Amino acid sequence: MLSKKIEDILNKQIEKEGYSSNLYLAMASWAENEGFKGIADWLYAQSEEERMHMLKFIAYVNERDGKAKIPAFEKPSFKLKNAKDLFEAVLKHEHYITASINEIMALTMQEKDFSSYNWIQWFVNEQIEEEANVKTILDKLRLVGENNLYMFDRDIMSLRTPASNPPVA
Ligand code: OFO
């Protein structure tokens, strides 16, 4: 059984994961229109992964006798000039998500909800991996430069690590 505070913060995270999925979907569409087929594929895959994160939060809340709420999602908005802008925006967003996962972890300790504390660890590790992946991409982009993106775009999918499955409740 989840405390009201834990249920509320997990419901907020459902909204954030769903927004992340839509944000990366909107960015994928931007990349496709700019002719970056590889970057678009990377973002479509990332969007799916975020949707999977959202579904895991929904399942966890419901399995622990809470009520998962499906919210309306804010329209993603961003201004991008180039691929570097895009991945900097992705990294900034992942930092924001990491901070909110850390807040959940802190609250599970405060509420002495050790089941939720254990469960959220998967997301703590996932955030380390996601931030590291985007940093690697930004490093590669710096190396190739904005005028030489053909091979970067062709090879970017090889930088993805396969999605792993978070535990269920
Ligand atoms: Fe990009 O992360 Fe979800 O949690």
Side-chain angles (χ1 to χ4, degrees), residues 16-87:
K16 288 175 188 173
E17 300 292 343
Y19 176 80
S20 304
S21 178
N22 283 352
L23 175 66
Y24 296 151
L25 194 58
M27 286 176 166
S29 177
W30 176 88
E32 213 158 47
N33 282 319
E34 293 293 309
F36 294 129
K37 171 82 174 68
I39 294 176
D41 285 348
W42 189 93
L43 287 159
Y44 281 125
Q46 201 60 29
S47 170
E48 277 305 308
E49 219 174 275
E50 298 299 350
R51 184 179 146 74
M52 188 265 284
H53 293 170
M54 176 182 70
L55 294 177
K56 291 294 171 186
F57 274 95
I58 292 170
Y60 182 74
V61 170
N62 288 335
E63 278 162 15
R64 296 290 314 283
D65 281 338
K67 284 193 172 45
K69 292 180 189 140
I70 311 304
F73 297 109
E74 199 186 311
K75 185 171 184 281
S77 84
F78 47 81
K79 280 206 179 82
L80 304 172
K81 288 194 299 288
N82 50 40
K84 182 169 159 282
D85 274 4
L86 183 143
F87 284 104

Side-chain angles (χ1 to χ4, degrees), residues 13 17 24 46 50 53 94 97 101 123 126-127 130:
Q13 194 64 28
E17 300 292 343
Y24 296 151
Q46 201 60 29
E50 298 299 350
H53 293 170
E94 289 302 327
I97 295 294
I101 296 287
F123 284 93
E126 174 74 1
Q127 284 310 117
E130 290 205 339

